[in-house]
Amino acid sequence: AAAAAGGVAADAGGAALYDVVYDTVSGDNLIDRRYERELRPLLQPRGRYVTLNGTGFDFVAGVLKRVTGWDVQRRNFELFIGRQSGKDLATLAGLVDQGKVRPVVASVLPLDQESVTKGFDLLKSRRATGKIVFELDKE
């Protein structure tokens, strides 16, 4: 079996186990680490590696695929590029209002300089479980 701890896959005993790995942690900058090399061994032979963040090439290739249908990405790689929609957001808001979806909130902080610094430090630590919310003055 395999498990993710802190974004790093635990030992899978050499077995390719998963149809999809959905990587929401990797980044393409000097601070964030890329986990693709470590996570690919956990995939079935035809499994897909899907990520939210990629290199500049990944983004260009993703747009090229969406516009033309040409897939020039590496094997079994998919860069998730979402399409935002007001209708979808209204549907999500309705599900939240009905209690069918519950957002996970790590902390609610006032919107002031000290709290914004604290919130972004927490965000950068990658230890927050849930969203960090800044609350506006209710006056």
Side-chain angles (χ1 to χ4, degrees):
V8 180
D11 181 21
L17 302 173
Y18 299 100
D19 295 323
V20 177
V21 169
Y22 189 59
D23 179 1
T24 62
V25 182
S26 291
D28 187 41
N29 59 52
L30 297 175
I31 298 169
D32 295 328
R33 183 169 164 196
R34 296 204 49 82
Y35 293 100
E36 182 177 359
R37 186 176 302 152
E38 296 167 46
L39 295 173
R40 276 200 176 263
L42 301 177
L43 287 170
Q44 297 282 354
R46 300 185 115 190
R48 304 286 292 174
Y49 178 83
V50 181
T51 187
L52 292 178
N53 300 304
T55 64
F57 174 81
D58 294 334
F59 281 96
V60 170
V63 170
L64 184 65
K65 181 179 179 182
R66 179 181 280 177
V67 172
T68 68
W70 297 343
D71 189 355
V72 295
Q73 279 291 7
R74 54 201 169 278
R75 183 181 62 80
N76 298 338
F77 178 91
E78 191 74 39
L79 178 67
F80 179 83
I81 300 175
R83 293 184 182 156
Q84 298 171 353
S85 146
K87 182 180 173 188
D88 290 345
L89 289 174
T91 300
L92 285 173
L95 292 171
V96 169
D97 290 342
Q98 296 168 28
K100 293 181 178 179
V101 172
R102 194 188 82 217
V104 178
V105 177
S107 48
V108 178
L109 303 167
L111 186 60
D112 60 42
Q113 184 62 49
E114 182 181 335
S115 296
V116 168
T117 300
K118 178 182 174 183
F120 278 97
D121 286 344
L122 180 58
L123 179 68
K124 289 187 290 186
S125 77
R126 295 200 163 191
R127 298 294 178 246
T129 302
K131 298 296 181 186
I132 301 162
V133 177
F134 295 101
E135 190 170 53
L136 298 175
D137 232 350
K138 294 180 180 180
E139 294 178 10

